[in-house]
Amino acid sequence: MRLRPPRIRAALYRVARRLLARDVRDDLLQLLTTLAMSPLYCVPMVLFLTGAALTPLLLIGLPLLPLAMMLAGWIARFDRQRLYFLRELEIDMPVASPSSGWKDRLGRLFGRRAWRELSFTVVMLLWAMGAGGLVMMVLAAGLLLLLLPLLSPLLPDGASLLGVDIGTVLGATSAGVAGLALLMAGLWLGRPLARAESDLAIRMLGANQVDHLVRRMMDLEDSRSRMVDAAEQERQRIERDLHDGAQQRLLSVAMSLGRAKSRFDQDPDKARHLLTTAHEEAKAAMQELRDVTRGLHPAILTEQGMEPALAAIAARCPVPVELTVQLPERPSPRAEAVAYYVVSELLTNITKHAGADRATVKIYREDDLLRLRVSDDGIGGADADRGSGIHGLRDRVRAVDGHLTLSSPFGGPTVVDVTLPWRA
């Protein structure tokens, strides 16, 4: 079955659109900028080898060694920014040891991270000349062959390329087809080579397992100290609220009951009034005790699970709350407790500060993660740097290897996304 010209044009259009897509252009731009930086990659290696060769000769080349190390570090930082600008690729910085004196600075200058950055410039020089040069040659040869049909009238008779007579229409057309194939091959090569280069940069410039462990230990120490402070503040809040609120009301209840008991026989109406007052004070004390224990682990969470516990919070919230819980089974008790506390605190913040007409709480499972999203249609403008509330929630979430993100532009909406390990 012969393809009609419209079908051929449609097929060629799809191929051209795929080959000229944005990600293909980004891959080629990454490889070409790497090739363009090859002279810069060469400088630290030349300086270091020159310094190493001249140092035995009266220490003449000694100043070149730290200069090569510093230049390699600058190039590595520039490459991180380049990959982020081109591919939005974030490379975690290795943990830097604190430098308090010249010995620490010297050790940092010739430390493990500095040697990795110097090695990176050498490897990237070889990579640029190999991968970048290969793609550049394939694209240049393909473009040249593709233009031969247009240049064939200008070629002398008998002109040949690789044994093919390109002075004729058939030979020039064959060269153009070969050029198109080379262009497609060059564009296709960009994707795996760019990915390989990105992986190489991550391995050589990014944080390794030791850096991750050190950063993890530092984060845990920081979050632990903040959690201890938060627990102390919470204890003081409970003690203060119990002393100033519920304790005073219970004392008033006891005094009213004592006065009613002494007047029950002499003045029944006054005793009945005192009993009514004591009853109202007892109900107010119960409400204050609920407020004091807000956010603590309730019995309904342990016995019935997250959905009934959160439904009770939503029912007490003055702002209407749309609650959606999609959990096939219960997560770990620690994950349940953290999720309950986060939702409780966020709904309290919405009530106090958001000026919202409606709030939404959605909780669901995604793979091995417990995901929850709390949003409102309030005024927005929430900033984690201006208050301790979000900081405390973030510390509580990070303590179980979770993650909390806040989006709150002025004018709303405010959205808080929390990710917790299912088996935290």
Side-chain angles (χ1 to χ4, degrees), residues 141-293:
L143 184 61
L144 178 62
L145 291 175
L146 188 62
L147 293 177
L148 278 180
L150 301 178
L151 301 176
S152 59
L154 304 177
L155 297 176
D157 295 337
S160 63
L161 180 65
L162 298 178
V164 178
D165 186 6
I166 57 175
T168 63
V169 176
L170 179 60
T173 303
S174 301
V177 173
L180 180 61
L182 284 177
L183 278 177
M184 295 175 62
L187 294 174
W188 178 83
L189 277 174
R191 170 54 59 88
L193 292 179
R195 287 184 176 179
E197 180 185 326
S198 300
D199 293 340
L200 183 64
I202 291 174
R203 286 179 177 274
M204 299 197 70
L205 295 182
N208 57 17
Q209 186 176 7
V210 174
D211 294 319
H212 283 299
L213 291 176
V214 172
R215 184 175 287 112
R216 173 65 176 158
M217 181 184 67
M218 295 170 61
D219 289 342
L220 287 177
E221 289 179 351
D222 188 38
S223 62
R224 182 185 62 182
S225 62
R226 289 200 297 265
M227 286 293 294
V228 171
D229 294 339
E232 178 64 19
Q233 292 176 3
E234 186 71 8
R235 185 194 65 80
Q236 293 177 0
R237 180 189 71 84
I238 294 175
E239 181 179 0
R240 182 179 62 252
D241 292 347
L242 287 176
H243 182 271
D244 298 339
Q247 181 177 345
Q248 297 298 324
R249 290 192 179 277
L250 291 176
L251 179 61
S252 176
V253 169
M255 293 178 62
S256 297
L257 290 177
R259 293 168 61 189
K261 181 180 178 181
S262 62
R263 299 189 180 188
F264 190 78
D265 295 330
Q266 301 175 359
D267 192 352
D269 293 334
K270 183 65 174 179
R272 191 176 298 107
H273 175 71
L274 291 173
L275 288 176
T276 303
T277 303
H279 181 245
E280 295 297 330
E281 290 288 335
K283 291 193 295 183
M286 291 175 60
Q287 181 61 42
E288 289 193 0
L289 286 174
R290 288 195 205 89
D291 295 337
V292 169
T293 58

Side-chain angles (χ1 to χ4, degrees), residues 17-29 87 190-191 194-195:
R17 184 178 179 182
R18 179 66 187 94
L19 291 177
L20 298 178
R22 180 179 178 182
D23 54 350
V24 176
R25 297 196 305 268
D26 291 343
D27 294 335
L28 289 179
L29 185 59
R87 310 304 303 269
R191 170 54 59 88
R195 287 184 176 179

